[in-house]
Amino acid sequence: MKITNFAVKNYQFTLIIFMLVAVVGLLTLFTMPRSEDPTTHPPQYLVTVIYPGTSPKDMEEQVVKPIENKIYGLENIDKILTTVEDGVAAIQIKFKYGVDVDNKYQEISTEINALKNGELPKDIYLIKTEKIASSDVKIIQVALISNTASSKTLRDNADKLKTQLEKITNLREVKYTGMPEQEIRIDMQLDKLAQLKIPFNVVLGSLQSEAADIPGGSINMDDKVFNVKTSGKFKNVEDVANTVIYNAGGKIIYLKDVARVSYKDGTVSHITRINGQRCILVTSSMKNNVDISQVKKEYTPVLEQFSETLPENIKMVKNFDQADMVSKRLGHLGFDFGLAIVLVVVTLLPLGFRPSLIVMISIPLSLALGLIAMNLLGFSLNQLSIVGLVVALGLLVDDSIVVVENIERWLREGHSRKDAILKGTKQIGAAVVGCTATLVIAFLPLAFLPDMAGEFIRSLPMAIITSVLASMIVALTLVPFIGSKILKTHTHGEGNYFLKKLQGFLTWSYKGIMPLALKWPKVTISISIALSVLAFLLFPMAGFKLFPTSEKPMFLINIKMPLQANIPESDRAAKLVETELKKHKEIIYYTSNVGKGNPQIYYNVHQQDIKPDFAQIFVQLEEETSPIDKTELIKILRTKFTDFPYAKIEVKDFEQGTPIEANIVVRVFGENQDTLRSLSFKVEELLRRHPGTFFINNELNAYKSDVKIKIDKEKARTLGVLTSDIDKVVRMAVAGLNIGDYIDDMGDSRNVVITMSRDKFSNLNALKNLYVNNIQGAPIQIDQIAAISMETSPTAINHFNKSRFAKVTSLTKDGVLANDILKDIVPELNKMKMPKGYNYKLSGEAESEGDALGGNFLSVIILSTFLFIAVLLLQFKTFKGIIIVLSIIPLGVLGGVIFLLITGNPMSLVSIIGFIGLSGIQVKNSLLLVDFTNQLREEGKSIDEAINIAGETRFLPVVLTSITAICGLIPIAMNPNPQIAPLAIVLIGGLISSTILSRIVTPVMYKLIPPQLDEKI
């Protein structure tokens, strides 16, 4: 080959280039961004609207529908999923993959801002638009613990730590949570206002006017420019209390005359504890494309120094540090990598010392070249890319082994070193290129897997593809060059001790089988077909689960309280769960979050927003806890909490892959809420009857009760009272109205809230003795024009692409797969008689599988199949050759599925990757046999003679490369991470079966349908 001739003849140039590759590769290894999981940028966004005290029905009409109508008009919308609950609406927007993520964020923000100034209510507390990204995960979670320090002291210290962490450039979203912020509270005395006949709107207008901060601009004086400072914002309590709210007839009324103004904590909506102790949590995320180990070096000294400045009654605990987990995981994979290299070295013994040395030199250079390509393509060093490199380690030596072994064979036959290097490489070169091309094409569909699952897993196939392509370049350039310098002509043709023993074992193994197989070719092929059919029949026995659970030693406990439970009740239930967790010594930390979810610490589990009847406990185990031990503890806790008297307790492990709310989710679509409720009961009953389901949840199981203030509009109009004024006064009394802000002593902006005198939480007393002014300014007691009653309403309203639906969710019991349950449930759902306009759709794991394996993936598979065949046609010029080569694939599938069944792993996305990659490896091995058989026939050998010689000669490098790949994969197969182990298990099983059987099936197929060498396509 020309490239080989060039590399050998211009050896100085070759040497310099590969020294450059080695240096740049080493630099790349140390400078590549490191992270636990791959960086993803899905075109997904979350719009959260917080409007306290608003029912789901009102939220739907006033907030959700205007937003959905605007967003739905944008281009390339894939789906919009909306959940509406009391005072909160979460609108998840997903665009089709391939759009510009930043541009779409700007489009959404523009539409939301336009709505704020138009159709949406003016007194909405908060509207925030967020991009969903892997960088949302908090890399550190620190708890400041104290049972005695005041809320203000804890907040102030948390704020100091926040300020210090914000100075680290690679950190983002530094926050503290768990305690309400301080605010200036204005407790209005409406009876006094009524006596003074001062309209409430006048008070509001005066306060808002004083709170406004309008810059004065700038003026020129001589040759300079001076800024004009105006009154500015409120500064403190006295400033607010002394606001003039009425000035007429020489009479001045201050705010303090009709209200009590003081510093108070805001309404408690989130309580945090760690190991049962009161605390405040400080968390931070990390920016994209930075090395987490370097970021750790920046924030660790900050945390250590800050810890020393804390008062004696406050203790700091860093209970979550993703950098430690990344270091441990990458370290474990690094050990696997080292072990794989050792095992690969052992398998190279039959080649001899000098050929083995050449192969060992090619390994780091191939990996270095692959790493450089990965870095240029924008991939980071994470668990999946490292797994890809470890898998590639077993594959990338194939090219070098095949080239070196062929050169060695020529040397053993007595050829000169020059002829052996150039002609031996030329003889095998086309086969090496063809083998590599088929292997790359086999992994190509995985590099184009659609949706978030594809983006998440892409670094794995790309690591394999770049490394294998690099190994081909190395095998055709550096290997011949080094071989020309250190290989020598052999005095004997049998090779070293290990080679003779291996060759002898292979000859002995097949000496009785091969003659029989070649004598009875049709019987042999029939047995092969039967084994292939068996392989596909075994597939359903393995089951299917797209993504496995996480192996990390941590999980969540979700506490779902009875309908409309308040924060104190949720807190009481959380404390009871904490009492049970305290008994388990393997639990290091349990962090309770009452009224809200734990800050996001896993890439696909987002934080639950404010919800009074919800609590979540983040449980962390000892670092060395195995996945088996974690699963056992989860089983124990699930059994313990099954009959919990006060709440539904869900012990939930973290799941890999696309975020799902439950394993099984059935959505029933339709417009009428009562009909949806009736149908949801039937779906719920179906799920409850199945023995594999548990923790079944139906949001429409019970309706909640709301306090309804029914205004007598005719009477109100008669008295000259505006309905909007009544609503405003009621909201002020119950939830409070934010009329401005002030700057506290830490330099942060805090709210000024006007409300009625109350305790921590509002109750019915807040609705007593309320006054509203009519058009003439006369006070009217609200009791005269409105009555308090109770009404029922749904707990939540859900929309999917603007269509209303009810959902029923279920988890699956241990050892039960969601797909197996759906096989039983779906026929029953299809039998349900639904009214016209009502239908159901599956979500959960079923939808996740559809997103990951549907659509474009099929197109890529078809394209790759044609490319696969095209490469083989270039190699063999005949369809018969392709059939011979491809005939071995089902036999590899047999070994892969048997190994899955033996190890108890279901079919999953990584298993699919294994089977797709396996097809490329098998074809690679079979291709070597067929290619050499064709060469021998072209040299004049008969078919039988060519088959026998090729089998003896080429089967040795096939076995060597297979053993090398298997040994390289063993550490990955033994890794406890269920996300990566099945990949290696499938490859090992498939390589064993295909290597053993290819020696029989490929020669027999060749004999049955020998390709015509002069048959051109």
Side-chain angles (χ1 to χ4, degrees):
M1 296 186 80
K2 290 182 180 179
I3 189 172
T4 304
N5 291 339
F6 179 85
V8 173
K9 291 176 182 177
N10 299 279
Y11 67 89
Q12 300 97 331
F13 176 78
T14 305
L15 183 64
I16 288 296
I17 290 296
F18 279 101
M19 284 179 67
L20 175 65
V21 167
V23 172
V24 175
L26 198 63
L27 288 172
T28 303
L29 177 64
F30 290 110
T31 57
M32 268 183 87
R34 283 170 171 77
S35 60
E36 183 169 32
D37 297 303
T39 301
T40 57
H41 300 91
Q44 296 180 25
Y45 310 87
L46 177 64
V47 176
T48 305
V49 184
I50 299 177
Y51 194 12
T54 311
S55 70
K57 196 172 180 181
D58 289 340
M59 285 289 285
E60 181 186 39
E61 291 298 326
Q62 298 176 30
V63 176
V64 169
K65 286 185 177 179
I67 292 177
E68 285 182 342
N69 289 336
K70 277 285 187 184
I71 300 300
Y72 216 69
L74 298 177
E75 297 291 333
N76 295 311
I77 284 283
D78 185 17
K79 59 181 78 167
I80 299 177
L81 179 64
T82 304
T83 303
V84 189
E85 294 178 337
D86 270 335
V88 179
I91 304 166
Q92 299 174 49
I93 305 157
K94 183 181 177 185
F95 289 88
K96 292 173 184 174
Y97 257 78
V99 300
D100 188 299
V101 175
D102 292 324
N103 281 351
K104 287 299 176 187
Y105 177 75
Q106 291 301 326
E107 286 181 25
I108 293 171
S109 299
T110 301
E111 297 294 351
I112 296 297
N113 288 332
L115 283 169
K116 280 182 188 177
N117 301 321
E119 297 177 48
L120 296 180
K122 302 298 181 187
D123 55 344
I124 286 177
Y125 175 72
L126 173 69
I127 302 181
K128 59 178 178 180
T129 305
E130 304 168 273
K131 279 190 278 191
I132 303 296
S134 56
S135 57
D136 295 337
V137 177
K138 308 301 179 188
I139 63 165
I140 51 170
Q141 181 168 299
V142 177
L144 300 183
I145 306 167
S146 178
N147 289 322
T148 57
S150 68
S151 298
K152 186 177 187 308
T153 304
L154 271 176
R155 271 197 310 267
D156 287 348
N157 280 282
D159 198 45
K160 288 176 185 175
L161 178 57
K162 173 179 176 284
T163 303
Q164 292 182 30
L165 290 173
E166 283 175 333
K167 293 175 182 176
I168 298 173
T169 54
N170 287 322
L171 292 181
R172 59 183 285 270
E173 293 288 320
V174 184
K175 296 179 179 178
Y176 60 85
T177 55
M179 285 186 186
E181 293 290 356
Q182 189 183 64
E183 63 188 23
I184 292 179
R185 178 90 60 79
I186 303 168
D187 292 335
M188 290 300 304
Q189 296 170 296
L190 290 183
D191 54 342
K192 286 190 176 181
L193 270 186
Q195 290 170 13
L196 295 168
K197 295 185 179 181
I198 301 173
F200 177 64
N201 282 339
V202 171
V203 178
L204 275 182
S206 299
L207 287 168
Q208 288 168 345
S209 173
E210 289 297 313
D213 187 12
I214 303 169
S218 60
I219 58 174
N220 289 342
M221 292 177 62
D222 297 330
D223 57 349
K224 294 184 179 180
V225 175
F226 295 87
N227 291 330
V228 178
K229 290 189 176 182
T230 53
S231 57
K233 295 184 179 183
F234 289 126
K235 297 177 178 59
N236 50 42
V237 165
E238 290 74 23
D239 203 12
V240 176
N242 290 321
T243 301
V244 175
I245 60 167
Y246 190 76
N247 186 355
K251 187 179 182 182
I252 297 175
I253 305 295
Y254 297 96
L255 180 63
K256 62 187 176 184
D257 296 329
V258 292
R260 286 187 287 272
V261 186
S262 60
Y263 291 115
K264 285 188 179 177
D265 287 345
T267 303
V268 176
S269 60
H270 185 196
I271 300 170
T272 51
R273 281 188 301 276
I274 185 166
N275 292 1
Q277 294 181 288
R278 173 173 169 263
C279 73
I280 190 167
L281 299 177
V282 182
T283 58
S284 177
S285 304
M286 180 180 73
K287 291 179 182 175
N288 284 321
N289 300 318
V290 292
D291 186 348
I292 193 170
S293 58
Q294 294 300 319
V295 180
K296 180 180 171 66
K297 290 177 183 177
E298 295 179 46
Y299 65 69
T300 299
V302 173
L303 294 177
E304 288 174 351
Q305 290 169 17
F306 179 77
S307 180
E308 294 171 3
T309 65
L310 287 170
E312 289 184 5
N313 61 341
I314 299 178
K315 178 185 174 186
M316 188 183 85
V317 171
K318 183 179 65 173
N319 66 307
F320 179 78
D321 190 340
Q322 195 186 71
D324 291 339
M325 300 179 81
V326 171
S327 176
K328 182 190 170 190
R329 177 170 288 190
L330 298 189
H332 192 57
L333 286 170
F335 174 79
D336 291 345
F337 194 81
L339 180 59
I341 287 179
V342 171
L343 292 172
V344 167
V345 170
V346 172
T347 63
L348 295 176
L349 289 174
L351 284 177
F353 173 74
R354 290 170 187 262
S356 297
L357 182 63
I358 294 173
V359 174
M360 289 308 298
I361 291 171
S362 74
I363 290 174
L365 286 170
S366 299
L367 290 173
L369 201 53
L371 267 181
I372 293 168
M374 285 278 289
N375 193 38
L376 290 173
L377 291 169
F379 292 97
S380 67
L381 208 56
N382 55 70
Q383 60 163 331
L384 290 178
S385 58
I386 289 179
V387 169
L389 292 172
V390 178
V391 171
L393 174 65
L395 305 178
L396 61 82
V397 293
D398 289 8
D399 292 336
S400 297
I401 287 175
V402 169
V403 170
V404 168
E405 194 280 333
N406 205 50
I407 292 171
E408 277 287 287
R409 185 174 61 80
W410 276 61
L411 289 171
R412 288 197 298 272
E413 290 175 0
H415 295 279
S416 68
R417 186 158 64 179
K418 183 179 178 182
D419 282 350
I421 295 293
L422 297 179
K423 293 181 180 178
T425 304
K426 182 181 179 182
Q427 184 187 44
I428 201 73
V432 167
V433 173
C435 289
T436 303
T438 55
L439 193 58
V440 168
I441 291 168
F443 281 102
L444 207 57
L446 302 166
F448 292 96
L449 198 68
D451 215 76
M452 184 177 173
E455 188 179 8
F456 179 74
I457 213 157
R458 190 161 295 137
S459 57
L460 194 157
M462 287 305 298
I464 296 172
I465 289 171
T466 54
S467 299
V468 168
L469 284 172
S471 76
M472 180 189 72
I473 295 169
V474 171
L476 296 177
T477 54
L478 186 71
V479 168
F481 154 62
I482 299 177
S484 69
K485 300 301 177 186
I486 68 172
L487 292 180
K488 57 182 182 179
T489 306
H490 292 274
T491 54
H492 54 84
E494 296 179 355
N496 63 19
Y497 172 81
F498 296 104
L499 183 62
K500 285 188 284 186
K501 288 295 180 185
L502 179 60
Q503 189 71 65
F505 173 74
L506 295 176
T507 304
W508 172 82
S509 300
Y510 288 94
K511 69 178 180 181
I513 300 172
M514 282 309 302
L516 280 173
L518 290 168
K519 185 179 179 181
W520 304 94
K522 291 182 180 178
V523 175
T524 304
I525 297 305
S526 298
I527 294 171
S528 168
I529 292 171
L531 289 174
S532 302
V533 172
L534 175 64
F536 290 101
L537 289 175
L538 288 174
F539 264 113
M541 293 177 63
F544 186 81
K545 183 177 173 65
L546 188 67
F547 287 102
T549 53
S550 168
E551 89 294 354
K552 290 182 181 179
M554 59 189 198
F555 57 89
L556 294 173
I557 298 177
N558 295 327
I559 303 169
K560 298 183 179 180
M561 297 297 294
L563 206 54
Q564 295 182 274
N566 57 21
I567 288 279
E569 276 298 294
S570 300
D571 193 34
R572 187 165 70 92
K575 286 178 178 176
L576 290 172
V577 175
E578 288 172 3
T579 303
E580 175 60 31
L581 297 178
K582 193 175 182 180
K583 298 175 186 175
H584 297 272
K585 302 301 180 188
E586 62 269 45
I587 296 176
I588 305 300
Y589 297 115
Y590 48 94
T591 309
S592 299
N593 292 263
V594 182
K596 201 174 183 180
N598 192 81
Q600 185 178 352
I601 38 75
Y602 195 69
Y603 72 92
N604 66 5
V605 178
H606 302 290
Q607 185 180 19
Q608 167 67 50
D609 225 316
I610 296 168
K611 202 172 185 326
D613 55 3
F614 175 83
Q616 187 176 75
I617 301 178
F618 171 40
V619 181
Q620 294 166 271
L621 310 178
E622 293 175 348
E623 281 189 11
E624 300 305 319
T625 304
S626 69
I628 295 171
D629 292 337
K630 180 182 73 165
T631 304
E632 191 59 37
L633 176 60
I634 288 174
K635 284 182 186 176
I636 292 168
L637 292 175
R638 280 176 178 170
T639 305
K640 186 74 179 177
F641 295 136
T642 299
D643 300 318
F644 194 81
Y646 303 106
K648 278 187 173 181
I649 310 295
E650 175 190 13
V651 185
K652 191 174 182 182
D653 203 352
F654 290 103
E655 298 267 349
Q656 305 271 13
T658 309
I660 55 173
E661 57 188 312
N663 305 102
I664 297 171
V665 180
V666 181
R667 294 173 178 166
V668 183
F669 289 84
E671 287 305 312
N672 185 276
Q673 196 75 17
D674 293 331
T675 308
L676 282 178
R677 190 183 187 201
S678 174
L679 291 171
S680 72
F681 288 159
K682 293 178 182 179
V683 174
E684 181 184 355
E685 182 59 30
L686 276 179
L687 289 173
R688 287 195 187 281
R689 286 205 303 262
H690 198 284
T693 61
F694 84 104
F695 205 85
I696 291 121
N697 187 49
N698 179 4
E699 289 179 339
L700 299 185
N701 219 332
Y703 273 14
K704 67 185 184 67
S705 298
D706 288 332
V707 176
K708 174 70 174 176
I709 298 178
K710 192 172 182 181
I711 301 169
D712 186 335
K713 292 190 177 180
E714 188 175 338
K715 197 172 182 180
R717 280 196 294 269
T718 303
L719 293 171
V721 177
L722 299 176
T723 304
S724 61
D725 287 345
I726 299 173
D727 292 342
K728 194 180 293 181
V729 170
V730 170
R731 183 161 188 85
M732 179 274 296
V734 176
L737 292 172
N738 185 15
I739 52 93
D741 52 26
Y742 72 101
I743 305 299
D744 67 4
D745 51 6
M746 300 291 291
D748 294 317
S749 178
R750 303 290 180 218
N751 291 333
V752 179
V753 176
I754 185 167
T755 184
M756 296 286 288
S757 181
R758 55 180 164 84
D759 296 324
K760 283 187 178 180
F761 304 98
S762 294
N763 53 37
L764 274 176
N765 291 330
L767 300 175
K768 293 179 179 178
N769 300 320
L770 295 183
Y771 292 87
V772 64
N773 299 86
N774 63 10
I775 297 171
Q776 290 77 31
I780 307 293
Q781 196 161 351
I782 289 179
D783 291 349
Q784 296 176 20
I785 52 176
I788 296 174
S789 61
M790 304 296 286
E791 72 171 17
T792 58
S793 64
T795 57
I797 296 173
N798 301 295
H799 290 183
F800 181 80
N801 288 350
K802 297 172 69 177
S803 297
R804 186 185 278 186
F805 72 90
K807 66 181 175 183
V808 184
T809 65
S810 172
L811 299 184
T812 57
K813 289 181 179 176
D814 297 308
V816 182
L817 299 177
N819 279 285
D820 294 336
I821 294 173
L822 290 174
K823 286 175 187 175
D824 301 327
I825 295 294
V826 169
E828 296 294 324
L829 288 170
N830 291 335
K831 289 178 188 175
M832 279 178 58
K833 291 182 180 178
M834 293 191 180
K836 189 177 180 181
Y838 290 79
N839 64 292
Y840 83 89
K841 287 182 183 176
L842 296 175
S843 184
E845 287 189 20
E847 185 181 37
S848 178
E849 290 166 15
D851 288 343
L853 301 177
N856 295 336
F857 187 55
L858 183 61
S859 305
V860 175
I861 287 283
I862 293 169
L863 176 63
S864 298
T865 303
F866 278 98
L867 284 173
F868 206 78
I869 293 170
V871 169
L872 292 176
L873 277 173
L874 283 174
Q875 186 74 28
F876 297 118
K877 309 293 190 297
T878 167
F879 284 108
K880 286 182 179 179
I882 296 173
I883 294 169
I884 296 167
V885 169
L886 296 181
S887 64
I888 196 64
I889 289 178
L891 300 175
V893 172
L894 176 65
V897 74
I898 287 174
F899 267 53
L900 278 181
L901 289 169
I902 291 170
T903 56
N905 286 288
M907 271 293 293
S908 61
L909 183 59
V910 286
S911 302
I912 292 170
I913 292 173
F915 281 109
I916 292 173
L918 185 61
S919 64
I921 301 168
Q922 291 172 280
V923 167
K924 186 175 182 179
N925 290 340
S926 192
L927 190 149
L928 289 171
L929 286 169
V930 176
D931 178 70
F932 193 49
T933 308
N934 286 345
Q935 287 185 35
L936 291 171
R937 286 179 63 201
E938 286 173 350
E939 291 172 7
K941 303 283 193 299
S942 68
I943 290 177
D944 287 347
E945 192 179 4
I947 287 172
N948 287 323
I949 295 172
E952 289 291 326
T953 306
R954 277 288 179 267
F955 193 55
L956 178 64
V958 166
V959 170
L960 279 176
T961 55
S962 295
I963 293 174
T964 304
I966 289 166
C967 289
L969 291 164
I970 285 173
I972 296 295
M974 297 175 67
N975 194 297
N977 188 347
Q979 172 77 348
I980 60 178
L983 170 66
I985 289 166
V986 166
L987 288 173
I988 289 172
L991 281 169
I992 291 172
S993 65
S994 64
T995 303
I996 293 170
L997 296 172
S998 66
R999 178 68 177 90
I1000 302 169
V1001 175
T1002 303
V1004 171
M1005 283 290 292
Y1006 198 99
K1007 184 173 182 178
L1008 277 176
I1009 49 169
Q1012 298 297 319
L1013 300 182
D1014 59 345
E1015 185 181 331
K1016 303 295 179 184
I1017 302 299

